[in-house]
Amino acid sequence: MAAAGRYLSLRLRVPDRPGSLAGVLAALAAVGANVLEVEHERTATRLDIGEVEVFVVLETRGPDHATDVVASLTQAGYAVTRE
């Protein structure tokens, strides 16, 4: 699966508010990405007050789908970094 480009690792910065993680997961479900792993970081010094970093490992249908996933999250207003 890795050789086929079906794994995608992302970091997203989201507001530290109830429901923010659920919103990220709903956005991923809407674009058809399968979530394999989630890490939620609230205390890193690189984060601003009121901000959370979410690290996700996803399974996609391939490189084109991975590009679509990132574009969809960016369009939804998330700050996305590919790992």
Side-chain angles (χ1 to χ4, degrees), residues 60-77:
T60 67
R61 293 186 297 272
D64 291 339
H65 185 221
T67 299
D68 292 344
V69 169
V70 173
S72 178
L73 291 171
T74 301
Q75 188 174 36

Side-chain angles (χ1 to χ4, degrees), residues 15-72:
D16 187 11
R17 292 193 308 257
S20 290
L21 179 57
V24 169
L25 297 176
L28 291 169
V31 74
N34 185 34
V35 178
L36 302 175
E37 183 179 333
V38 176
E39 184 178 318
H40 184 262
E41 176 66 54
R42 298 182 69 210
T43 59
T45 57
R46 67 185 171 277
L47 297 172
D48 292 331
I49 299 292
E51 186 176 56
V52 172
E53 186 172 68
V54 177
F55 173 72
V56 291
V57 178
L58 309 170
E59 180 183 347
T60 67
R61 293 186 297 272
D64 291 339
H65 185 221
T67 299
D68 292 344
V69 169
V70 173
S72 178

